[in-house]
Amino acid sequence: MMAKKIALLQIFMIAGILVGAARASDDVATAAPTTARQGLLAATDTAENDAGSNDSGSQPPPVLDRRDRIFYPGDTERPKPLLRKLFLNIVFDQEEIFTSPFHANRHNALEWLLPTAATGGLIAADTHIANAFENSRGQVRWGGRVSNIGASYTLIPIVAGSYVYGAWRDNAKAREIGVLGTESLLDGLILAGVLKEAFRRNRPNEKHPGDFWGGGTSFPSGHAIQVWSIASLLDHEYKHKKIVGVTAYSLAGIVSAARIAAQKHFASDVFAGGTMGWFIGRYVYDTHMSHLAHKHSSLMPMVVPQIDPLQRRYSFELVFGQAPHH
């Protein structure tokens, strides 16, 4: 009876954080463009009033939205604005991810209930799923090797290579994939680190496997968070090229299964990590990317120099907030 109560408590505690990334992606993707648009309109009105006044020094300078999250093509070419935005974006990301459980309501109930129910069911079935594998020495060895695809030391060079290629070939899309991929990975690393310390679940190959608050680092799977965040980002980047999304998600699924085969994680660990990673990838794409940069990349050098920074930002944010067609 006590074991059932503890298991139920675990499920409810996990529920509060599991879909945090999901709520952050939906809340910010909807609210941020509106907020940015309102702030930019106010800033533009102030600028117009200043221009119409003979005493321009009597008016304070317009205050832009501090969440200037959009990476413009020029921002990915220069280290100072790139690093500044990357750092601030990650700070804002973490704030919204960890406060998102407080924004649950009846409109997003399914986004909470479905992943929570699936995770709870997998926690109950973790031992049976783990025992369904052969669990031989060869399986564990090969599972560990395959799962290295989702390790930080594998994914970081990949996204860094995308940025280097984009800078070398003057390819805005490749540069921004490198930037957003880095942000997604760092978001995932921070989230996984905090949750691992919060739940301290023992790994399958440790003493008292599967126990929460036993001192382990099994829940959630950091490999799953990272590889699924990159897969989600690539899928959204190349939404019109289905083969990219299929390939990325297939590799993410293989890595997730390999973590179970290597006896490093339970099924619920990789499911929770994969779910959070997918929402992180979508959130970063929706919130931080200048979607006009690719469709009109050939026009950017002609258009951007002709407008001042305030008007440039206003134009991009206004169109982005209206969900432009790709």
Side-chain angles (χ1 to χ4, degrees):
M1 184 65 178
M2 181 60 67
K4 290 183 178 180
K5 290 182 178 179
I6 293 175
L8 185 61
L9 176 62
Q10 293 171 356
I11 293 172
F12 276 112
M13 291 188 67
I14 293 169
I17 303 176
L18 174 61
V19 199
R23 287 302 314 128
S25 66
D26 289 337
D27 289 345
V28 177
T30 301
T34 302
T35 303
R37 205 161 50 241
Q38 291 172 347
L40 290 163
L41 287 172
T44 304
D45 290 340
T46 303
E48 290 176 352
N49 292 334
D50 290 346
S53 174
N54 293 328
D55 186 9
S56 59
S58 63
Q59 295 291 338
V63 179
L64 297 179
D65 181 8
R66 70 187 182 106
R67 297 170 178 261
D68 183 15
R69 297 183 168 192
I70 302 300
F71 288 104
Y72 301 109
D75 294 337
T76 61
E77 297 173 355
R78 297 174 294 161
K80 186 175 180 180
L82 172 60
L83 294 177
R84 178 180 178 276
K85 281 191 177 183
L86 184 61
F87 174 77
L88 292 178
N89 284 350
I90 292 172
V91 172
F92 288 131
D93 293 349
Q94 297 304 311
E95 176 187 356
E96 284 159 2
I97 287 173
F98 285 103
T99 61
S100 58
F102 299 103
H103 304 299
N105 54 59
R106 60 186 180 86
H107 299 292
N108 53 54
L110 285 179
E111 292 183 353
W112 289 89
L113 293 176
L114 293 181
T116 300
T119 302
L122 288 173
I123 289 175
D126 273 339
T127 302
H128 299 288
I129 295 174
N131 292 336
F133 285 78
E134 181 183 349
N135 293 326
S136 64
R137 185 174 301 176
Q139 171 201 298
V140 173
R141 182 174 63 253
W142 280 103
R145 291 176 179 175
V146 172
S147 68
N148 287 337
I149 298 173
S152 299
Y153 51 76
T154 301
L155 296 176
I156 290 177
I158 291 176
V159 297
S162 176
Y163 180 84
V164 171
Y165 172 80
W168 174 48
R169 303 294 295 180
D170 193 21
N171 187 311
K173 192 176 187 68
R175 287 199 312 269
E176 291 186 357
I177 288 176
V179 173
L180 299 184
T182 300
E183 184 172 337
S184 299
L185 289 178
L186 292 175
D187 280 339
L189 282 172
I190 296 171
L191 179 61
V194 172
L195 295 186
K196 284 177 182 292
E197 286 299 317
F199 292 109
R200 300 179 65 82
R201 189 185 195 189
N202 291 339
R203 295 180 183 270
N205 57 359
E206 295 177 333
K207 187 178 180 181
H208 304 299
D211 283 2
F212 285 86
W213 305 289
T217 57
S218 187
F219 186 91
S221 168
H223 283 63
I225 288 181
Q226 293 177 85
V227 73
W228 279 94
S229 68
I230 296 299
S232 176
L233 176 64
L234 291 175
D235 179 44
H236 287 89
E237 286 275 4
Y238 296 97
K239 60 182 63 178
H240 300 301
K241 296 181 179 180
K242 298 301 182 183
I243 185 63
V244 175
V246 171
T247 302
Y249 287 139
S250 296
L251 286 174
I254 291 172
V255 169
S256 299
R259 294 303 284 171
I260 302 175
Q263 294 186 331
K264 296 296 184 182
H265 288 288
F266 292 99
S268 59
D269 301 335
V270 298
F271 174 80
T275 300
M276 288 184 281
W278 186 90
F279 281 112
I280 286 175
R282 187 186 73 172
Y283 161 74
V284 170
Y285 172 81
D286 285 341
T287 310
H288 303 310
M289 186 176 189
S290 173
H291 302 286
L292 295 181
H294 308 313
K295 183 176 180 180
H296 305 291
S297 58
S298 61
L299 302 179
M300 293 304 299
M302 294 183 291
V303 175
V304 173
Q306 297 176 5
I307 53 180
D308 60 28
L310 175 61
Q311 183 62 34
R312 170 174 173 261
R313 180 177 174 193
Y314 169 75
S315 300
F316 273 101
E317 292 278 7
L318 182 60
V319 178
F320 175 69
Q322 292 176 343
H325 298 289
H326 300 284

